[in-house]
Amino acid sequence: MAAPATTITLPVEGMTCASCVARLEGALGRAPGVVRASVNLASESATLEVTTSAAAVPIDTAALIGAVDRAGFHVPTQTLALAISGMTCASCVSRVERALLAVPGVLRASVNLASERAQIEFPRGAIDARTLIDAVSRAGYGASELVAGLPPDAPTAALSREARHLLWAIALSLPLALPMLLMALGRDAML
């Protein structure tokens, strides 16, 4: 029985012709764990069928990117930040990092307990935020995508909290300020 395989798509920059495609297919076809490599010049991508069984070589996206680099091409990467909730110790950090690194295509995952943040690097467009959030959820923790260092609802929530705080302050200060205002107006009226 053949080992189960998964498909990984890598973006590739620097290809200009059919010869580039053939050279890259050959380089990726020789990479450990690759069953089949198909390169598309028009979409600038390489689709790889990679073995996933425990007996086979584990998926090593960094090795696949190294094969692309050695062939003379480049795989652009991107970084995504997630807010992680529910972590209490270094063991939690380790579990979240392992869960993220187990997602096919993840190159690096760094989790910070103090800031409750995770930074994940992967080939551009190869993984979506939902896949990473689901991996963290399966590990038993909460996650949400960060945009510019803040959770998506943070600006609205912060404004809402500030508005409630200001309204509460006005409601408390008005009864205290009203007698002083009347005394000041009464004094000006006497002059």
Side-chain angles (χ1 to χ4, degrees):
M1 183 163 111
T6 190
T7 302
I8 295 177
T9 301
L10 297 175
V12 179
E13 294 177 341
M15 298 183 295
T16 58
C17 62
S19 177
C20 294
V21 169
R23 184 171 69 217
L24 186 55
E25 281 181 348
L28 288 170
R30 291 186 297 275
V34 175
V35 176
R36 190 175 65 81
S38 174
V39 177
N40 186 319
L41 178 62
S43 67
E44 294 186 313
S45 65
T47 303
L48 309 168
E49 199 173 302
V50 184
T51 57
T52 58
S53 73
V57 177
I59 298 170
D60 185 359
T61 307
L64 297 174
I65 291 174
V68 172
D69 288 340
R70 284 188 299 282
F73 306 104
H74 175 69
V75 175
T77 61
Q78 73 182 70
T79 302
L80 180 74
L82 295 178
I84 309 294
S85 61
M87 296 186 301
T88 59
C89 61
S91 179
C92 295
V93 168
S94 179
R95 269 187 236 120
V96 172
E97 283 180 350
R98 278 195 313 269
L100 290 168
L101 289 169
V103 174
V106 170
L107 300 171
R108 281 181 266 306
S110 174
V111 178
N112 185 311
L113 177 63
S115 66
E116 296 183 321
R117 303 282 191 259
Q119 294 285 339
I120 305 98
E121 184 182 2
F122 52 90
R124 185 179 66 214
I127 304 170
D128 63 348
R130 175 58 28 206
T131 302
L132 297 169
I133 290 169
D134 290 346
V136 173
S137 294
R138 283 190 301 277
Y141 303 92
S144 63
E145 185 176 1
L146 290 172
V147 178
L150 295 173
D153 61 344
T156 305
L159 289 175
S160 179
R161 274 193 306 273
E162 183 68 19
R164 281 193 309 270
H165 175 72
L166 289 174
L167 285 173
W168 184 247
I170 290 170
L172 283 177
S173 63
L174 205 57
L176 298 173
L178 193 57
M180 291 176 25
L181 179 65
L182 290 176
M183 286 186 342
L185 288 175
R187 185 182 56 109
D188 287 342
M190 287 187 203
L191 293 175

